Amino acid sequence: MKKLVFSTGAGMSAESGIRTFRDANGLWEEYPVMQVASHTGYLKDPALIHRFYNERRKQLLDAQPNNGHIAIRNLESMFDVQVITQNVDDLHERAGSTNVLHLHGELMKVRSTKHEERVYTLTRDNCETSVDTRDEYGDPVRPHIVFFEEPVPNFSAAMRLAQQADIFVVIGTSLVVYPAASLIDCVRPGTPVFYIDPKPAAISRPNVTIIAKGASEGMAELTEILKGMQ
Ligand code: APR
C-alpha cells in the first residue's frame, strides 16, 4: 500500500467547533499566546495555564470528529495512512485513525513536572488540574503540551514519515509555526502534495494541488482523487 501522510492543523478541527488560533476570533485573540502557551508564561503563572487548558479540555469534551477526520480514517482501507498533527485534541483518534503522531502534545494528558516520562491520561469526568494536582508519587503535574520555547520531541519522527510519503496532504494550518511548517520541505521531490484550506497560506513548493475548501468538503473531493492514485 502507498504511504499517505497527512499534516493537520487547527483548521482540521474547526468544523468540530474547536477554535483555531489565528482566524478571526481565534484563541490567540482572547489569550495572548506567550501568556498561556509558552514556557515563560507557564513559569510565571502556572495557575492561569492550568485554567486555560481546563477550559480547552471542557470544549473538547463537547466536540465530535467531523467528516474530514472520518474521511482520513476511511482512507486506511486503501493506503498506509499516517497522521501527523499539530493539534492537541484527540479527534483523529476518536474518528478511528490508527497512526497519529502529535507534534505539540495532547490535551487529555498531563505529565509529572519531576519525571517527564511519567505521562497520565485524564478521563472525561476527571480532567481538571491545578497547581495543587499531584500524581501518585506526590509530584505536581503539568499539561502534556509542547509550549512555545520548548523543544518538539516528535519532530524527527515526523520528518522521517514525511520523507517516506508517497502522497502528502496538508490540512487546515497557516504554516506559520516551525518546525511543523517545514515538514513539507522533507517530502521527496516529485511526490504529489495536496493542501486543503479555505484560505490557503502561500506555499513555496512547486506542484502543490490546492483545494480551497473546508476540511470535510475538501476531504470528500480529495478522496475521489486518491481513489485513482492507489
Ligand atoms: N477547514 C480547514 N481549514 C480551516 C478551516 C476549515 N473549516 N477553518 C479555518 N481553516 C484554516 C485557516 O484558513 C488557517 O489556515 O486553518 C488554519 C488555522 O491556522 P492556525 O489558527 O494558525 O492554526 P495552526 O496552523 O494549526 O497553528 C499552528 O500554532 O498556536 C500554535 O501550537 C499551536 O499547533 C498550533 C500552531
Side-chain angles (χ1 to χ4, degrees), residues 9-12 14-15 20-23 28 86-87 104 148 171-177 195-199 213-215:
M12 183 77 232
E15 292 160 33
T20 63
F21 296 96
R22 296 174 184 81
D23 281 325
W28 295 152
Q86 296 173 79
N87 298 341
H104 294 163
F148 281 99
I171 306 180
T173 175
S174 57
L175 295 169
V176 296
V177 172
Y195 179 21
I196 297 174
D197 193 308
K199 288 179 287 176
K213 292 184 176 161

Side-chain angles (χ1 to χ4, degrees), residues 29-227:
E29 275 179 20
E30 200 177 330
Y31 300 91
V33 59
M34 292 317 278
Q35 208 180 344
V36 291
S38 72
H39 189 76
T40 312
Y42 174 66
L43 296 179
K44 221 162 95 196
D45 188 348
L48 171 63
I49 300 272
H50 277 281
R51 283 199 304 277
F52 176 67
Y53 286 95
N54 288 339
E55 211 176 297
R56 290 183 68 189
R57 280 187 206 104
K58 255 189 254 134
Q59 214 197 57
L60 177 55
L61 294 183
D62 300 337
Q64 294 300 326
N66 60 57
N67 289 335
H69 293 107
I70 292 163
I72 290 174
R73 184 275 317 276
N74 290 342
L75 285 166
E76 294 191 4
S77 63
M78 294 188 267
F79 295 92
D80 171 5
V81 178
Q82 171 65 48
V83 176
I84 303 164
T85 186
Q86 296 173 79
N87 298 341
V88 294
D89 64 54
D90 57 356
L91 295 176
H92 280 301
E93 291 91 339
R94 282 163 51 193
S97 283
T98 47
N99 302 310
V100 181
L101 182 67
H102 287 269
L103 289 181
H104 294 163
E106 298 180 62
L107 197 47
M108 291 306 285
K109 293 184 178 173
V110 292
R111 68 169 183 262
S112 163
T113 53
K114 297 268 184 302
H115 300 270
E116 64 177 27
E117 72 284 359
R118 290 173 183 162
V119 179
Y120 308 98
T121 302
L122 301 170
T123 59
R124 290 183 69 83
D125 47 22
N126 172 22
C127 60
E128 292 230 339
T129 60
S130 76
V131 289
D132 302 322
T133 306
R134 294 289 177 273
D135 70 5
E136 60 203 289
Y137 302 93
D139 294 327
V141 296
R142 57 160 275 179
H144 187 50
I145 297 287
V146 176
F147 293 141
F148 281 99
E149 304 164 319
E150 294 182 341
V152 181
N154 288 338
F155 188 63
S156 43
M159 282 175 70
R160 278 194 299 279
L161 293 169
Q163 284 158 355
Q164 293 162 5
D166 296 312
I167 303 167
F168 192 75
V169 184
V170 180
I171 306 180
T173 175
S174 57
L175 295 169
V176 296
V177 172
Y178 285 80
S182 66
L183 270 180
I184 192 165
D185 303 328
C186 306
V187 176
R188 287 166 294 164
T191 304
V193 175
F194 298 86
Y195 179 21
I196 297 174
D197 193 308
K199 288 179 287 176
I203 281 198
S204 52
R205 182 188 178 93
N207 308 328
V208 174
T209 303
I210 307 268
I211 300 176
K213 292 184 176 161
S216 298
E217 236 189 302
M219 271 309 300
E221 183 173 319
L222 179 61
T223 297
E224 291 313 304
I225 298 169
L226 291 175
K227 281 178 183 167

